[in-house]
mmCIF file of all heavy atoms in Angstrom:
data_model
loop_
_atom_site.group_PDB
_atom_site.id
_atom_site.type_symbol
_atom_site.label_atom_id
_atom_site.label_comp_id
_atom_site.label_asym_id
_atom_site.label_seq_id
_atom_site.Cartn_x
_atom_site.Cartn_y
_atom_site.Cartn_z
ATOM 1 N N ASN A 136 114.723 123.960 103.619
ATOM 2 C CA ASN A 136 113.367 123.808 104.128
ATOM 3 C C ASN A 136 113.401 123.112 105.488
ATOM 4 O O ASN A 136 114.399 122.472 105.860
ATOM 5 C CB ASN A 136 112.530 122.997 103.130
ATOM 6 C CG ASN A 136 111.037 123.090 103.392
ATOM 7 O OD1 ASN A 136 110.549 124.064 103.957
ATOM 8 N ND2 ASN A 136 110.294 122.069 102.985
ATOM 9 N N LEU A 137 112.319 123.202 106.213
ATOM 10 C CA LEU A 137 112.246 122.650 107.565
ATOM 11 C C LEU A 137 110.803 122.329 107.896
ATOM 12 O O LEU A 137 109.876 122.756 107.211
ATOM 13 C CB LEU A 137 112.795 123.627 108.592
ATOM 14 C CG LEU A 137 112.030 124.948 108.816
ATOM 15 C CD1 LEU A 137 112.385 125.536 110.173
ATOM 16 C CD2 LEU A 137 112.321 125.981 107.732
ATOM 17 N N SER A 138 110.619 121.546 108.920
ATOM 18 C CA SER A 138 109.274 121.402 109.473
ATOM 19 C C SER A 138 108.878 122.778 110.007
ATOM 20 O O SER A 138 109.591 123.368 110.818
ATOM 21 C CB SER A 138 109.258 120.388 110.619
ATOM 22 O OG SER A 138 109.905 119.187 110.258
ATOM 23 N N GLU A 139 107.762 123.291 109.541
ATOM 24 C CA GLU A 139 107.421 124.686 109.841
ATOM 25 C C GLU A 139 107.481 124.998 111.336
ATOM 26 O O GLU A 139 107.042 124.206 112.167
ATOM 27 C CB GLU A 139 106.021 125.002 109.297
ATOM 28 C CG GLU A 139 105.667 126.478 109.421
ATOM 29 C CD GLU A 139 104.332 126.816 108.793
ATOM 30 O OE1 GLU A 139 104.085 126.380 107.648
ATOM 31 O OE2 GLU A 139 103.530 127.503 109.445
ATOM 32 N N TRP A 140 108.063 126.169 111.640
ATOM 33 C CA TRP A 140 108.277 126.610 113.018
ATOM 34 C C TRP A 140 109.019 125.535 113.823
ATOM 35 O O TRP A 140 108.772 125.327 114.999
ATOM 36 C CB TRP A 140 106.969 127.014 113.707
ATOM 37 C CG TRP A 140 106.363 128.232 113.077
ATOM 38 C CD1 TRP A 140 105.257 128.283 112.288
ATOM 39 C CD2 TRP A 140 106.876 129.566 113.120
ATOM 40 N NE1 TRP A 140 105.037 129.564 111.852
ATOM 41 C CE2 TRP A 140 106.026 130.376 112.347
ATOM 42 C CE3 TRP A 140 107.982 130.162 113.743
ATOM 43 C CZ2 TRP A 140 106.235 131.745 112.167
ATOM 44 C CZ3 TRP A 140 108.195 131.524 113.561
ATOM 45 C CH2 TRP A 140 107.341 132.308 112.786
ATOM 46 N N ALA A 141 109.956 124.882 113.125
ATOM 47 C CA ALA A 141 110.795 123.852 113.750
ATOM 48 C C ALA A 141 109.960 122.774 114.437
ATOM 49 O O ALA A 141 110.327 122.225 115.466
ATOM 50 C CB ALA A 141 111.795 124.476 114.724
ATOM 51 N N ASN A 142 108.805 122.481 113.811
ATOM 52 C CA ASN A 142 107.909 121.406 114.244
ATOM 53 C C ASN A 142 107.321 121.636 115.637
ATOM 54 O O ASN A 142 107.054 120.687 116.366
ATOM 55 C CB ASN A 142 108.597 120.036 114.196
ATOM 56 C CG ASN A 142 107.613 118.922 113.885
ATOM 57 O OD1 ASN A 142 106.512 119.168 113.400
ATOM 58 N ND2 ASN A 142 107.998 117.688 114.164
ATOM 59 N N PHE A 143 107.099 122.910 115.969
ATOM 60 C CA PHE A 143 106.426 123.189 117.242
ATOM 61 C C PHE A 143 105.289 124.170 116.978
ATOM 62 O O PHE A 143 105.226 125.264 117.526
ATOM 63 C CB PHE A 143 107.412 123.740 118.269
ATOM 64 C CG PHE A 143 106.931 123.563 119.696
ATOM 65 C CD1 PHE A 143 106.630 122.308 120.198
ATOM 66 C CD2 PHE A 143 106.806 124.643 120.546
ATOM 67 C CE1 PHE A 143 106.192 122.140 121.504
ATOM 68 C CE2 PHE A 143 106.378 124.492 121.862
ATOM 69 C CZ PHE A 143 106.066 123.232 122.342
ATOM 70 N N ARG A 144 104.390 123.736 116.087
ATOM 71 C CA ARG A 144 103.228 124.552 115.766
ATOM 72 C C ARG A 144 101.940 123.876 116.190
ATOM 73 O O ARG A 144 101.087 124.489 116.820
ATOM 74 C CB ARG A 144 103.171 124.847 114.259
ATOM 75 C CG ARG A 144 102.220 125.988 113.909
ATOM 76 C CD ARG A 144 101.915 126.059 112.428
ATOM 77 N NE ARG A 144 100.900 125.097 112.013
ATOM 78 C CZ ARG A 144 100.502 124.927 110.759
ATOM 79 N NH1 ARG A 144 101.075 125.637 109.779
ATOM 80 N NH2 ARG A 144 99.569 124.044 110.459
ATOM 81 N N GLY A 145 101.779 122.576 115.830
ATOM 82 C CA GLY A 145 100.525 121.917 116.166
ATOM 83 C C GLY A 145 100.624 120.410 116.137
ATOM 84 O O GLY A 145 101.643 119.829 115.759
ATOM 85 N N GLN A 146 99.560 119.776 116.535
ATOM 86 C CA GLN A 146 99.501 118.319 116.629
ATOM 87 C C GLN A 146 99.275 117.687 115.251
ATOM 88 O O GLN A 146 98.787 118.328 114.338
ATOM 89 C CB GLN A 146 98.376 117.918 117.582
ATOM 90 C CG GLN A 146 98.592 118.428 118.997
ATOM 91 C CD GLN A 146 97.364 118.359 119.868
ATOM 92 O OE1 GLN A 146 96.270 118.039 119.381
ATOM 93 N NE2 GLN A 146 97.504 118.663 121.148
ATOM 94 N N ARG A 147 99.679 116.414 115.128
ATOM 95 C CA ARG A 147 99.577 115.657 113.878
ATOM 96 C C ARG A 147 100.348 116.331 112.742
ATOM 97 O O ARG A 147 99.934 116.300 111.566
ATOM 98 C CB ARG A 147 98.112 115.438 113.463
ATOM 99 C CG ARG A 147 97.351 114.506 114.394
ATOM 100 C CD ARG A 147 96.007 114.101 113.783
ATOM 101 N NE ARG A 147 95.278 113.187 114.660
ATOM 102 C CZ ARG A 147 95.455 111.891 114.711
ATOM 103 N NH1 ARG A 147 96.368 111.325 113.939
ATOM 104 N NH2 ARG A 147 94.731 111.136 115.527
ATOM 105 N N SER A 148 101.453 116.937 113.070
ATOM 106 C CA SER A 148 102.263 117.586 112.035
ATOM 107 C C SER A 148 103.011 116.539 111.221
ATOM 108 O O SER A 148 103.223 115.406 111.658
ATOM 109 C CB SER A 148 103.257 118.550 112.676
ATOM 110 O OG SER A 148 104.169 117.844 113.505
ATOM 111 N N THR A 149 103.440 116.953 110.023
ATOM 112 C CA THR A 149 104.246 116.116 109.157
ATOM 113 C C THR A 149 105.635 116.724 109.047
ATOM 114 O O THR A 149 105.785 117.856 108.567
ATOM 115 C CB THR A 149 103.617 116.001 107.760
ATOM 116 O OG1 THR A 149 102.375 115.314 107.862
ATOM 117 C CG2 THR A 149 104.526 115.236 106.812
ATOM 118 N N SER A 150 106.647 115.995 109.500
ATOM 119 C CA SER A 150 108.017 116.494 109.428
ATOM 120 C C SER A 150 108.409 116.730 107.969
ATOM 121 O O SER A 150 108.064 115.954 107.083
ATOM 122 C CB SER A 150 108.986 115.499 110.070
ATOM 123 O OG SER A 150 108.785 115.427 111.467
ATOM 124 N N GLY A 151 109.142 117.807 107.761
ATOM 125 C CA GLY A 151 109.610 118.131 106.416
ATOM 126 C C GLY A 151 108.640 118.968 105.605
ATOM 127 O O GLY A 151 108.947 119.360 104.478
ATOM 128 N N TRP A 152 107.466 119.285 106.169
ATOM 129 C CA TRP A 152 106.490 120.117 105.459
ATOM 130 C C TRP A 152 106.463 121.510 106.071
ATOM 131 O O TRP A 152 106.450 121.671 107.292
ATOM 132 C CB TRP A 152 105.084 119.526 105.545
ATOM 133 C CG TRP A 152 104.055 120.366 104.820
ATOM 134 C CD1 TRP A 152 103.696 120.278 103.507
ATOM 135 C CD2 TRP A 152 103.277 121.449 105.379
ATOM 136 N NE1 TRP A 152 102.749 121.228 103.206
ATOM 137 C CE2 TRP A 152 102.474 121.973 104.329
ATOM 138 C CE3 TRP A 152 103.201 122.040 106.642
ATOM 139 C CZ2 TRP A 152 101.605 123.034 104.515
ATOM 140 C CZ3 TRP A 152 102.335 123.108 106.832
ATOM 141 C CH2 TRP A 152 101.534 123.592 105.778
ATOM 142 N N SER A 153 106.415 122.506 105.200
ATOM 143 C CA SER A 153 106.173 123.877 105.640
ATOM 144 C C SER A 153 105.241 124.544 104.650
ATOM 145 O O SER A 153 105.219 124.190 103.462
ATOM 146 C CB SER A 153 107.480 124.671 105.748
ATOM 147 O OG SER A 153 108.031 124.953 104.461
ATOM 148 N N GLY A 154 104.461 125.496 105.138
ATOM 149 C CA GLY A 154 103.511 126.186 104.280
ATOM 150 C C GLY A 154 104.185 126.924 103.143
ATOM 151 O O GLY A 154 103.632 127.031 102.043
ATOM 152 N N LEU A 155 105.400 127.415 103.395
ATOM 153 C CA LEU A 155 106.119 128.167 102.372
ATOM 154 C C LEU A 155 106.951 127.267 101.468
ATOM 155 O O LEU A 155 107.029 127.479 100.259
ATOM 156 C CB LEU A 155 107.027 129.204 103.040
ATOM 157 C CG LEU A 155 107.677 130.251 102.134
ATOM 158 C CD1 LEU A 155 106.621 131.056 101.384
ATOM 159 C CD2 LEU A 155 108.560 131.178 102.965
ATOM 160 N N GLY A 156 107.561 126.237 102.036
ATOM 161 C CA GLY A 156 108.498 125.422 101.272
ATOM 162 C C GLY A 156 107.935 124.131 100.739
ATOM 163 O O GLY A 156 108.579 123.465 99.925
ATOM 164 N N GLY A 157 106.744 123.726 101.183
ATOM 165 C CA GLY A 157 106.193 122.453 100.748
ATOM 166 C C GLY A 157 106.842 121.287 101.466
ATOM 167 O O GLY A 157 107.354 121.429 102.585
ATOM 168 N N LEU A 158 106.868 120.127 100.837
ATOM 169 C CA LEU A 158 107.327 118.895 101.462
ATOM 170 C C LEU A 158 108.703 118.496 100.958
ATOM 171 O O LEU A 158 108.928 118.390 99.751
ATOM 172 C CB LEU A 158 106.339 117.757 101.171
ATOM 173 C CG LEU A 158 106.700 116.380 101.740
ATOM 174 C CD1 LEU A 158 106.625 116.400 103.265
ATOM 175 C CD2 LEU A 158 105.785 115.316 101.154
ATOM 176 N N THR A 159 109.618 118.237 101.885
ATOM 177 C CA THR A 159 110.922 117.683 101.549
ATOM 178 C C THR A 159 110.837 116.164 101.568
ATOM 179 O O THR A 159 110.244 115.584 102.472
ATOM 180 C CB THR A 159 111.996 118.166 102.542
ATOM 181 O OG1 THR A 159 112.110 119.590 102.431
ATOM 182 C CG2 THR A 159 113.340 117.533 102.250
ATOM 183 N N LYS A 160 111.457 115.523 100.557
ATOM 184 C CA LYS A 160 111.400 114.068 100.435
ATOM 185 C C LYS A 160 112.711 113.443 100.888
ATOM 186 O O LYS A 160 113.783 114.058 100.773
ATOM 187 C CB LYS A 160 111.117 113.677 98.984
ATOM 188 C CG LYS A 160 109.809 114.216 98.446
ATOM 189 C CD LYS A 160 109.665 113.888 96.971
ATOM 190 C CE LYS A 160 108.409 114.498 96.381
ATOM 191 N NZ LYS A 160 108.303 114.215 94.911
ATOM 192 N N ASN A 161 112.617 112.211 101.367
ATOM 193 C CA ASN A 161 113.797 111.470 101.779
ATOM 194 C C ASN A 161 114.520 110.957 100.537
ATOM 195 O O ASN A 161 113.932 110.230 99.736
ATOM 196 C CB ASN A 161 113.394 110.299 102.672
ATOM 197 C CG ASN A 161 114.576 109.609 103.320
ATOM 198 O OD1 ASN A 161 115.547 109.267 102.661
ATOM 199 N ND2 ASN A 161 114.487 109.401 104.626
ATOM 200 N N PRO A 162 115.784 111.310 100.328
ATOM 201 C CA PRO A 162 116.471 110.910 99.095
ATOM 202 C C PRO A 162 116.749 109.412 98.983
ATOM 203 O O PRO A 162 117.039 108.924 97.884
ATOM 204 C CB PRO A 162 117.781 111.703 99.130
ATOM 205 C CG PRO A 162 117.990 112.044 100.567
ATOM 206 C CD PRO A 162 116.626 112.196 101.157
ATOM 207 N N TYR A 163 116.643 108.677 100.074
ATOM 208 C CA TYR A 163 116.845 107.226 100.000
ATOM 209 C C TYR A 163 115.638 106.537 99.371
ATOM 210 O O TYR A 163 115.755 105.750 98.440
ATOM 211 C CB TYR A 163 117.166 106.665 101.384
ATOM 212 C CG TYR A 163 118.586 106.968 101.786
ATOM 213 C CD1 TYR A 163 118.902 108.160 102.438
ATOM 214 C CD2 TYR A 163 119.622 106.109 101.458
ATOM 215 C CE1 TYR A 163 120.214 108.469 102.756
ATOM 216 C CE2 TYR A 163 120.942 106.411 101.770
ATOM 217 C CZ TYR A 163 121.226 107.596 102.419
ATOM 218 O OH TYR A 163 122.530 107.904 102.718
ATOM 219 N N VAL A 164 114.458 106.844 99.897
ATOM 220 C CA VAL A 164 113.206 106.346 99.324
ATOM 221 C C VAL A 164 112.236 107.530 99.363
ATOM 222 O O VAL A 164 111.892 108.012 100.436
ATOM 223 C CB VAL A 164 112.649 105.152 100.123
ATOM 224 C CG1 VAL A 164 111.366 104.631 99.472
ATOM 225 C CG2 VAL A 164 113.679 104.021 100.210
ATOM 226 N N LEU A 165 111.815 107.978 98.201
ATOM 227 C CA LEU A 165 111.197 109.290 98.087
ATOM 228 C C LEU A 165 109.852 109.434 98.783
ATOM 229 O O LEU A 165 109.463 110.551 99.128
ATOM 230 C CB LEU A 165 111.064 109.671 96.609
ATOM 231 C CG LEU A 165 112.396 109.808 95.861
ATOM 232 C CD1 LEU A 165 112.145 110.011 94.372
ATOM 233 C CD2 LEU A 165 113.217 110.957 96.427
ATOM 234 N N ASP A 166 109.148 108.326 99.020
ATOM 235 C CA ASP A 166 107.875 108.458 99.725
ATOM 236 C C ASP A 166 108.030 108.313 101.237
ATOM 237 O O ASP A 166 107.052 108.307 101.972
ATOM 238 C CB ASP A 166 106.837 107.466 99.194
ATOM 239 C CG ASP A 166 107.164 106.010 99.509
ATOM 240 O OD1 ASP A 166 108.294 105.734 99.972
ATOM 241 O OD2 ASP A 166 106.295 105.140 99.290
ATOM 242 N N ARG A 167 109.284 108.204 101.688
ATOM 243 C CA ARG A 167 109.569 108.118 103.126
ATOM 244 C C ARG A 167 109.878 109.511 103.681
ATOM 245 O O ARG A 167 110.302 110.420 102.965
ATOM 246 C CB ARG A 167 110.738 107.180 103.382
ATOM 247 C CG ARG A 167 110.479 105.746 102.954
ATOM 248 C CD ARG A 167 109.738 104.977 104.026
ATOM 249 N NE ARG A 167 109.244 103.687 103.543
ATOM 250 C CZ ARG A 167 108.816 102.731 104.342
ATOM 251 N NH1 ARG A 167 108.827 102.901 105.658
ATOM 252 N NH2 ARG A 167 108.351 101.599 103.852
ATOM 253 N N ASN A 168 109.713 109.647 104.994
ATOM 254 C CA ASN A 168 109.878 110.947 105.631
ATOM 255 C C ASN A 168 111.343 111.245 105.930
ATOM 256 O O ASN A 168 112.154 110.335 106.127
ATOM 257 C CB ASN A 168 109.047 111.004 106.915
ATOM 258 C CG ASN A 168 108.765 112.415 107.350
ATOM 259 O OD1 ASN A 168 109.498 112.988 108.149
ATOM 260 N ND2 ASN A 168 107.699 112.993 106.822
#
Side-chain angles (χ1 to χ4, degrees):
N136 195 26
L137 66 159
S138 311
E139 187 176 313
W140 294 107
N142 211 17
F143 202 57
R144 196 194 81 183
Q146 298 165 353
R147 292 192 179 276
S148 63
T149 295
S150 292
W152 180 89
S153 71
L155 190 59
L158 179 68
T159 297
K160 300 175 184 177
N161 189 311
Y163 284 88
V164 182
L165 297 173
D166 68 349
R167 297 276 169 166
N168 201 267

